[in-house]
Amino acid sequence: MSGPAAGTAHAATSTDVVCLGESMVTFLPSQPGRLADVPSFGRGIGGAESNVACALAAAGHRAAWVGRVGADGFGDHLVETIASYGVDTSAVRRDPVRPTGIYFRTATDRGTDTHEVAYYRAGSAASAMSPENVPYEDLLAGRILHLSGITAALSADCLALLRDLTAPRPGRPLVSFDVNHRPHLWRGGEADASVLLELARRCDLVFVGEDEAEEAWGIVGAEAIRAALPEPSVVVVKRGSAGATVFSGATVFSGLRPGPRSSSAGGAESAPGARSKAGEGAESAAADRAGAGPDTVTLVPALRVDVVAAVGAGDAFAAGFLSATLRGLPVRERVRHGHLMAAAVLTVPGDLTDPPARDHADRLAALDDDAWGRLRLGPGWTAADRAPEEVRTP
């Protein structure tokens, strides 16, 4: 069962990445201060999975967002805005009864004690997503299916949907999962954040922050996180200002479906050595990892960034990593592209921005370790023409 679709273009089998999750209209403050003191707000959009889709589409990939919004003006705004980035929204469903979620936030960093967010998402259209009302033919049509732990926290039906999508099934695409632990979403629910560990273990690629692993699961340190997540082919542990540590097995993404040889993005080619499982049935992540041998551990330092607003960086990092994965780049370059995409968002006020041009990002990602360590990026850096223009020391 599914409702009427929104949008125009249909998500075809040539889609690179399909992202599933709730997107909301966000109201951004006109000035710093408590929500009680802010006189007015500007309207934007926010949603971890739709942010990833928008960033990938802006980078030239074929991205689709699947979600559920209300049959209201806010739902119209979400679908139209996300589609304006080049994202396929044809599989978005409209709920005739439940509203589109909205939220207000302050201008401060989410990690500070002064940060405030007021969500109005209880009973939203997205919280009604379930295995019975989402279009599986669209969800499973891409080379990668990107999910987030936020969706699992919205309702019991949403959790059932993520359990179903992460289960082994014939023709399953590579499943990417960003843990995205949001403590307030788990308060008072039937499940708790430990379910995020269960879901992550069923996926092929996992993004998780050291801080959220400790908060959600009581697990401390990158090595311990990998030990708790032995099944995924790749685990990306985000370590804040220290950078990221990637644990990759010998069978890295053997299930990544090959894309068309030609693409306007130049990035739809399959990873070297990748084999398609679309015709033979995808095995579970655990089976793929069985006997895979020791991990390769890759540590990539973070960039120094003159931060304007610390929101949306995790989604942008995931988009940059996935973009480089689709292009078959080495693991170090995948992480560096994640850092660069995150830096683009960190140097603007909102959750979304245009990424650097591909050749620009490639030049920066190819810097030697010393030059990478000297790199410092500030507002407007994505418009620079040559990498040396961003390389400076304090």
Side-chain angles (χ1 to χ4, degrees):
M1 294 168 26
S2 59
T8 54
H10 189 273
T13 55
S14 60
T15 302
D16 290 322
V17 181
V18 178
C19 302
L20 166 79
E22 179 174 35
S23 191
M24 295 181 290
V25 173
T26 177
F27 290 91
L28 308 174
S30 58
Q31 64 185 44
R34 302 182 309 154
L35 286 179
D37 300 327
V38 175
S40 60
F41 296 81
R43 185 180 65 176
I45 66 169
E49 302 86 359
S50 60
N51 285 349
V52 172
C54 288
L56 284 166
H61 297 284
R62 294 174 295 271
W65 172 61
V66 178
R68 192 173 181 88
V69 300
D72 50 35
F74 287 146
D76 293 341
H77 175 66
L78 277 176
V79 173
E80 291 166 7
T81 303
I82 293 169
S84 73
Y85 283 85
V87 176
D88 179 352
T89 59
S90 64
V92 176
R93 297 303 192 246
R94 308 300 291 261
D95 192 306
V97 177
R98 299 174 183 84
T100 303
I102 65 172
Y103 71 98
F104 297 77
R105 67 170 175 84
T106 54
T108 50
D109 185 344
R110 180 183 287 143
T112 66
D113 292 337
T114 58
H115 185 67
E116 296 176 71
V117 183
Y119 288 101
Y120 299 89
R121 74 197 309 177
S124 69
S127 69
M129 290 189 295
S130 75
E132 285 71 42
N133 63 18
V134 298
Y136 272 61
E137 67 277 11
D138 295 286
L139 284 172
L140 303 178
R143 299 174 67 196
I144 297 174
L145 172 62
H146 181 70
L147 307 170
S148 160
I150 294 173
T151 305
L154 297 179
S155 68
D157 282 342
C158 285
L159 175 55
L161 174 61
L162 258 63
R163 280 181 166 142
D164 195 46
L165 289 172
T166 57
R169 69 175 66 246
R172 189 182 96 163
L174 184 148
V175 178
S176 165
F177 183 72
D178 193 334
V179 170
N180 256 328
H181 178 230
R182 298 290 184 266
H184 65 277
L185 290 177
W186 294 98
R187 295 183 189 128
E190 296 179 10
D192 59 41
S194 64
V195 77
L196 297 174
L197 185 60
E198 169 203 330
L199 293 171
R201 293 183 65 176
R202 295 150 66 104
C203 298
D204 304 294
L205 164 62
V206 175
F207 300 95
V208 59
E210 272 191 325
D211 55 346
E212 60 187 350
E214 182 175 2
E215 185 173 21
W217 308 326
I219 299 172
V220 180
E223 295 284 349
I225 292 170
R226 177 50 158 169
L229 293 169
E231 295 88 356
S233 294
V234 174
V235 174
V236 182
V237 180
K238 297 177 290 183
R239 304 172 59 216
S241 60
T245 300
V246 181
F247 299 89
S248 50
T251 57
V252 177
F253 300 157
S254 61
L256 182 58
R257 296 171 178 170
R261 294 302 300 176
S262 62
S263 166
S264 60
E269 297 84 356
S270 60
R275 71 176 188 271
S276 172
K277 289 188 178 180
E280 65 189 70
E283 300 296 329
S284 68
D288 252 1
R289 285 281 298 153
D295 279 327
T296 297
V297 182
T298 307
L299 289 74
V300 182
L303 290 165
R304 290 179 294 170
V305 179
D306 298 329
V307 176
V308 172
V311 292
D315 306 328
F317 179 91
F321 191 96
L322 291 174
S323 173
T325 297
L326 288 162
R327 297 171 61 201
L329 299 183
V331 171
R332 187 191 75 155
E333 276 63 42
R334 297 180 195 188
V335 180
R336 285 189 168 188
H337 277 277
H339 286 320
L340 289 165
M341 195 83 85
V345 169
L346 287 170
T347 51
V348 298
D351 290 23
L352 293 167
T353 189
D354 290 331
R358 177 166 294 182
D359 60 347
H360 184 186
D362 283 345
R363 288 197 301 270
L364 294 179
L367 292 172
D368 62 38
D369 289 344
D370 287 341
W372 179 263
R374 295 194 304 271
L375 195 61
R376 182 164 186 164
L377 305 176
W381 74 270
T382 58
D385 291 329
R386 297 183 59 80
E389 293 180 39
E390 285 84 44
V391 179
R392 60 185 177 87
T393 54

